[in-house]
Amino acid sequence: MFKDSLIILRKELRRIFTDRRLLFMLVVLPLVMLPLMYSFMGRANKARMVEINSYSSRITICSGEGGEEVRGWFFESLSALNAHVETAGTYELDSLKQRVIDKDLEVLVVMPDSMDDHIRAGSAFDLSIFYNSTGDYSKFAFDQVDIAFAAVGEAIIRQRIMESGMSEDVLTAFTINKQLAAGEFADLAEEGSMMGKLIGVMLPFFIVIYLFANSMKVGLDSVAGEKERGTLAMLLVNQVSRLSIVLGKMISVMVAAIVGAVSSAIGLRIASRYLISMTSDSGASISEYTMGSTAVLQFAIVVIPLAILISSLVLLVSTFARNVKEGQGMIMPVYIAVMVMGVTTMQTGDIPPEWMRMTPIFNSLVVLKDIFMQDAVWGNIVFSLATSLVVSAVLIFITLRMFNDERVLFRI
Amino acid sequence: MLRVENLSKEFRNSRGRQRNVVKAVSNLSFQCQPGEIYGLLGPNGAGKTTTLRCLSTLIKPTSGNVWIDQYNVLEHGQIFRSKIGFLTSDMKLDGYFTPDYMMNWFGQLNKMEDCRIEQQKEKLFNDLQMTDFIHKKIDQLSTGMKQKTAVAISLIHDPEVIIFDEPTSGLDVITSKAVTDFLVSRADSGKIVIISTHNMTIAEKLCHRFGILVDGELKEEGTLSDIIEGSSWDNLEDVFFSYILPGGNHV
Ligand SMILES: Nc1ncnc2c1ncn2[C@@H]1O[C@H](COP(=O)(O)OP(=O)(O)OP(=O)(O)O)[C@@H](O)[C@H]1O
Ligand SMILES: [Mg+2]
């Protein structure tokens, strides 16, 4: 029997691994997709930063009467910015606001009358700063103005404190992280664990996507395609048993699925470097993540049964459907449901709810995440393995029943 | 000898709420001797494909049985399959492989020794004049070449009974002739050949005996002279039309 399965399997595998187009979709695509996407996003991000920094923002300060000296401080504070600063009178306020709306002006500052009276009296006054968040540079310019003006405010307070006879030291209650010893870092994350966490969060999603996509690419054609082409009948009038046919096809679909999962894992590993350099400010935590041999073993123990489960699911649908198109229509809702599961595992925190651990497919995804976070528990791993295998056995049993049922095989 | 005994096949369809039973074949009986080509004639939906599928173990008769010598289709499916070669015209082989590869593969599925596969391949490739294209991908072959490939594959195990469902449909006259000549040569070497067709000209030339199947029932059975003598017509086509055309004397 296994020899017969092998004959079937050999042909299916030859079909997959010698067809350059199919191979590209099954192996190369999952591998290069993420790195390409992230390197592209990283590059776009960098280009954007360069562009923003080289842009000279247009800022207008609109002020009332008097207070020239104080106004001078504010002007001074903006001189370090890459900006073109103008002044205007309050009578122009409405037209200036319109210019902000029209994105003709990035920032509009409105200052009250006689600010120097307030300074002298030691009282507070109101500044209004307008910007337009839909403009490309407006919010960025606003943040810069905000920071610059805060420095002016601090200088004023410093001045007041010194005038009152106190030391300016009272302005500083404490400092953070000034006393770290040489070679000591504030981020105590273990070597590589940041990349591990990142991979752990994203991988279950991509694994399940490619397990499914590859199973569908190979599995739907495998039976529904043969029905459609009429070659299934040719296969059935031979000496091989139907169990051998189902097993042979099943294993070939599984191989395609696993190849996709491993490729996408490698792809994500490569991509995570771009991802980290995009999300973290300091380069310090970009250390490499390497999977230990235990993690590799655990990964295999979870992914292989999951691949068996998903390929049996696809093969069942493929056997039931009259043709590839009908099969695609039937499997789509399941595919979407599984994608939602993937997204859900991505968003749940470190301790997933119990029902996730009990649900087939879901529990494998959760455990996969644990493995990369380096806190997988063997009990959970074995449980996910067991549920996947039990569900697969049921699915294969049903598929086999259908394979022996002429009403399913020759459905019109 | 192949013997069909009171073969009936019903399909239960459930479309929406309605459940209805289609009697695709009713109480069909006929026999074929080695060396004989038997033609199953009938309009669309007559039950030809259903009959041939029952003969090749793909579907189970609702009642009745089919025998090849002492083996019957209900009890000896596996042996039955080793004795038949089955082909349907609407089959499209996977274009990715070559005829040569497919022959080897189907040979293995039939549990043949490698040397036996080689022998059979050489014989079939020569008889069907296929040697020019056996190493090309099936995708790149013409319709006729594809059909020759399908014929060769279905007969790799040199079966005693050849069951072809519309073997010449969609073929040009030359390929059609190549296939029918090939079938004649098989029959001459002692095989039983059963084909279904709507093409009366080919049937008349090719077949030794005929069965006219209409709505699942065998209306006429026998040699060409048997059928014509019992009717008021002088050719097979007119007899056939008399059963299926409105106004025909059997309708
Ligand atoms: N699997 C099936 N399920 C339900 N009904 C079927 C099935 N196969 C065939 N039938 C019905 O049985 C009848 C006979 O069909 P069959 O395919 O045997 O005819 P045929 O003589 O081969 O016709 P054609 O010349 O069109 O090939 C038709 O009414 C068809 O609808
Ligand atoms: Mg038919």
Side-chain angles (χ1 to χ4, degrees):
Chain A
M1 184 192 91
F2 289 108
K3 208 174 143 225
D4 294 346
S5 299
L6 215 61
I7 299 173
I8 309 266
L9 176 64
R10 260 211 311 266
K11 167 162 172 273
E12 302 282 329
L13 288 184
R14 191 187 165 108
R15 177 79 179 83
I16 297 171
F17 288 104
T18 59
D19 185 342
R20 246 179 273 151
R21 256 191 17 221
L22 202 54
L23 212 56
F24 178 80
M25 289 206 287
L26 297 179
V27 185
V28 182
L29 218 53
L31 185 72
V32 301
M33 193 70 145
L34 281 174
L36 277 183
M37 209 167 85
Y38 284 130
S39 82
F40 180 76
M41 272 162 58
R43 214 156 286 169
N45 232 21
K46 217 172 273 172
R48 169 105 178 107
M49 286 317 290
V50 169
E51 191 199 327
I52 286 184
N53 285 326
S54 65
Y55 180 80
S56 172
S57 333
R58 291 157 299 180
I59 300 171
T60 295
I61 295 182
C62 178
S63 56
E65 314 275 298
E68 268 76 24
E69 193 195 348
V70 181
R71 205 179 314 146
W73 298 341
F74 285 110
F75 264 104
E76 184 63 34
S77 75
L78 296 182
S79 64
L81 305 187
N82 182 9
H84 183 71
V85 186
E86 284 179 353
T87 49
T90 37
Y91 58 90
E92 288 178 90
L93 194 57
D94 288 335
S95 72
L96 286 169
K97 278 187 183 170
Q98 189 58 46
R99 278 178 61 197
V100 176
I101 294 170
D102 297 342
K103 298 172 190 169
D104 194 23
L105 186 63
E106 270 73 43
V107 173
L108 170 63
V109 181
V110 182
M111 293 178 174
D113 287 347
S114 46
M115 289 182 288
D116 40 356
D117 291 347
H118 285 283
I119 298 284
R120 244 175 279 124
S123 62
F125 56 88
D126 248 351
L127 288 181
S128 310
I129 308 178
F130 298 98
Y131 69 102
N132 179 347
S133 62
T134 58
D136 280 343
Y137 310 100
S138 186
K139 174 71 167 76
F140 179 73
F142 167 79
D143 290 340
Q144 287 191 309
V145 170
D146 196 34
I147 292 168
F149 284 8
V152 175
E154 201 185 306
I156 294 171
I157 294 169
R158 201 171 291 273
Q159 188 64 36
R160 284 178 184 168
I161 283 180
M162 280 159 62
E163 278 167 10
S164 74
M166 280 194 272
S167 152
E168 62 176 314
D169 289 349
V170 299
L171 277 171
T172 317
F174 52 81
T175 62
I176 293 173
N177 279 349
K178 266 216 170 131
Q179 301 285 324
L180 284 181
E184 194 181 13
F185 296 101
D187 186 353
L188 294 179
E190 278 173 304
E191 188 88 341
S193 68
M194 174 158 180
M195 196 181 266
K197 176 165 175 144
L198 197 81
I199 294 176
V201 169
M202 313 211 13
L203 192 68
F205 178 68
F206 288 104
I207 290 263
V208 82
I209 294 271
Y210 281 108
L211 282 179
F212 226 100
N214 281 15
S215 297
M216 271 167 63
K217 228 158 266 160
V218 176
L220 286 180
D221 190 69
S222 182
V223 184
E226 291 228 27
K227 270 193 196 181
E228 193 177 328
R229 290 193 299 270
T231 45
L232 190 63
M234 291 291 278
L235 201 54
L236 297 177
V237 294
N238 280 293
Q239 294 295 304
V240 284
S241 72
R242 300 193 177 187
L243 178 60
S244 320
I245 299 176
V246 171
L247 281 184
K249 291 196 177 269
M250 157 85 226
I251 296 170
S252 74
V253 178
M254 199 186 87
V255 168
I258 289 176
V259 162
V262 171
S263 286
S264 70
I266 297 172
L268 180 62
R269 172 75 178 66
I270 299 170
S272 56
R273 213 170 310 171
Y274 296 109
L275 203 76
I276 287 181
S277 67
M278 255 162 66
T279 50
S280 77
D281 314 332
S282 68
S285 46
I286 313 185
S287 50
E288 295 291 306
Y289 170 75
T290 39
M291 255 175 118
S293 52
T294 325
V296 172
L297 178 72
Q298 292 173 331
F299 181 77
I301 291 179
V302 177
V303 168
I304 292 173
L306 185 62
I308 296 179
L309 169 55
I310 289 178
S311 34
S312 8
L313 189 65
V314 171
L315 210 64
L316 182 144
V317 171
S318 181
T319 305
F320 185 72
R322 272 172 295 201
N323 50 49
V324 174
K325 222 177 178 162
E326 195 184 49
Q328 276 166 346
M330 288 172 173
I331 201 100
M332 248 331 146
V334 187
Y335 190 23
I336 291 169
V338 169
M339 272 210 289
V340 170
M341 285 190 199
V343 174
T344 313
T345 32
M346 207 144 80
Q347 288 169 345
T348 46
D350 288 348
I351 302 166
E354 199 55 26
W355 64 268
M356 278 194 195
R357 291 232 180 260
M358 306 306 288
T359 317
I361 300 185
F362 238 140
N363 57 17
S364 305
L365 298 183
V366 172
V367 168
L368 269 181
K369 189 172 163 183
D370 293 345
I371 292 174
F372 286 93
M373 304 289 212
Q374 292 158 10
D375 49 23
V377 179
W378 276 104
N380 289 335
I381 294 176
V382 172
F383 183 72
S384 85
L385 166 107
T387 42
S388 296
L389 290 184
V390 168
V391 175
S392 311
V394 172
L395 294 175
I396 294 175
F397 178 75
I398 298 173
T399 306
L400 208 61
R401 285 286 291 268
M402 293 203 284
F403 239 87
N404 281 302
D405 188 344
E406 61 180 57
R407 281 173 307 176
V408 176
L409 290 191
F410 299 99
R411 212 152 57 91
I412 58 167
Chain B
M1 187 178 73
L2 178 129
R3 192 150 46 89
V4 178
E5 247 178 28
N6 303 321
L7 181 77
S8 297
K9 179 69 190 177
E10 291 173 359
F11 293 107
R12 262 166 245 285
N13 293 342
S14 47
R15 286 263 151 75
R17 280 173 182 220
Q18 268 173 299
R19 289 185 138 259
N20 62 324
V21 176
V22 179
K23 280 195 152 205
V25 178
S26 321
N27 218 15
L28 187 70
S29 300
F30 64 88
Q31 291 186 0
C32 309
Q33 304 296 335
E36 198 169 53
I37 302 182
Y38 190 91
L40 211 49
L41 315 179
N44 292 130
K48 304 182 295 293
T49 301
T50 305
T51 305
L52 298 186
R53 277 181 181 168
C54 285
L55 262 57
S56 40
T57 76
L58 287 171
I59 57 179
K60 214 172 131 196
T62 311
S63 65
N65 211 338
V66 184
W67 297 80
I68 296 177
D69 302 328
Q70 71 272 36
Y71 304 106
N72 73 65
V73 76
L74 294 179
E75 293 168 67
H76 313 107
Q78 187 84 348
I79 301 174
F80 227 79
R81 279 191 284 274
S82 71
K83 291 179 179 294
I84 57 158
F86 175 73
L87 183 66
T88 51
S89 64
D90 55 3
M91 186 187 69
K92 291 171 207 69
L93 286 167
D94 185 351
Y96 185 73
F97 294 105
T98 63
D100 187 64
Y101 179 84
M102 291 304 277
M103 290 291 272
N104 287 328
W105 190 64
F106 273 99
Q108 288 171 351
L109 288 185
N110 277 298
K111 316 237 149 112
M112 294 165 68
E113 305 274 329
D114 284 350
C115 59
R116 184 95 199 292
I117 295 178
E118 287 306 318
Q119 276 171 13
Q120 271 297 101
K121 263 170 34 181
E122 198 187 323
K123 184 156 175 290
L124 288 164
F125 287 156
N126 281 328
D127 289 357
L128 286 160
Q129 293 148 17
M130 291 173 62
T131 36
D132 292 344
F133 58 84
I134 53 170
H135 293 298
K136 278 191 187 165
K137 277 193 177 183
I138 293 174
D139 260 344
Q140 296 161 2
L141 305 182
S142 71
T143 313
M145 293 171 179
K146 283 180 186 153
Q147 183 67 352
K148 284 182 176 180
T149 307
V151 168
I153 285 169
S154 66
L155 302 182
I156 178 79
H157 55 307
D158 196 23
E160 291 166 35
V161 181
I162 299 172
I163 301 173
F164 280 3
D165 193 5
E166 304 185 23
T168 57
S169 87
L171 301 183
D172 69 7
V173 280
I174 302 170
T175 327
S176 188
K177 185 168 160 30
V179 171
T180 50
D181 285 352
F182 175 77
L183 288 177
V184 169
S185 78
R186 293 297 97 161
D188 288 347
S189 68
K191 309 287 182 196
I192 296 172
V193 179
I194 302 180
I195 64 161
S196 78
T197 182
H198 332 212
N199 189 324
M200 295 304 138
T201 327
I202 288 180
E204 211 165 309
K205 269 196 201 141
L206 183 65
C207 303
H208 304 115
R209 288 197 310 123
F210 309 86
I212 296 181
L213 200 59
V214 180
D215 292 336
E217 288 173 29
L218 202 58
K219 301 289 186 186
E220 290 278 351
E221 224 262 317
T223 62
L224 186 60
S225 52
D226 289 344
I227 291 176
I228 289 175
E229 267 164 31
S231 76
S232 49
W233 310 96
D234 62 359
N235 65 62
L236 193 61
E237 192 158 15
D238 287 338
V239 177
F240 183 68
F241 279 135
S242 75
Y243 279 104
I244 58 172
L245 284 187
N249 56 359
H250 291 284
V251 176

